[in-house]
Amino acid sequence: MGKVLLTGTMRCDADEVDAVLSLMAKHERLSQAESGCLSFELWQDELDPCSFHVNEVFRSERDFEAHQERTHSSDWGRVTRHMPRDFTKSTA
């Protein structure tokens, strides 16, 4: 099995932007430190402050699933769980 790539956008309401921004750097740092994380980028859209973009690359499906498990139980997961996501997952 090859690398797992995830790209896409997450949206929040205007009154949630500060909460997302307050957790973003920690979420990115923890994700980048995970075993099997080859690349993890998370940024706020310059034109639409309620949109956040992500590009992730993990070495394997197992590494990606471990990332998902960690994320769901984190502060990031708790705060952003309900926010709509338009993500595409693929393998390379």
Side-chain angles (χ1 to χ4, degrees):
M1 181 101 159
K3 297 176 189 172
V4 175
L5 297 82
L6 184 84
T7 60
T9 303
M10 177 188 80
R11 289 200 45 81
C12 68
D13 292 334
D15 64 342
E16 298 174 306
V17 170
D18 288 342
V20 173
L21 289 173
S22 73
L23 296 171
M24 201 165 82
K26 180 179 180 183
H27 176 58
E28 188 171 24
R29 185 175 62 254
L30 290 174
S31 297
Q32 290 170 343
E34 291 175 7
S35 174
C37 178
L38 302 176
S39 175
F40 190 96
E41 299 172 300
L42 176 63
W43 69 97
Q44 185 180 30
D45 191 282
E46 291 180 23
L47 300 177
D48 178 4
C50 293
S51 291
F52 295 84
H53 305 286
V54 65
N55 283 324
E56 306 176 12
V57 181
F58 285 86
R59 182 179 47 228
S60 68
E61 182 68 32
R62 185 173 10 156
D63 293 322
F64 177 76
E65 290 302 323
H67 165 70
Q68 293 296 304
E69 287 179 29
R70 184 202 60 80
T71 297
H72 288 298
S73 63
S74 72
D75 289 339
W76 175 265
R78 180 181 50 77
V79 169
T80 68
R81 179 171 293 132
H82 69 283
M83 296 176 186
R85 290 161 164 79
D86 182 14
F87 289 167
T88 299
K89 180 182 167 190
S90 59
T91 56

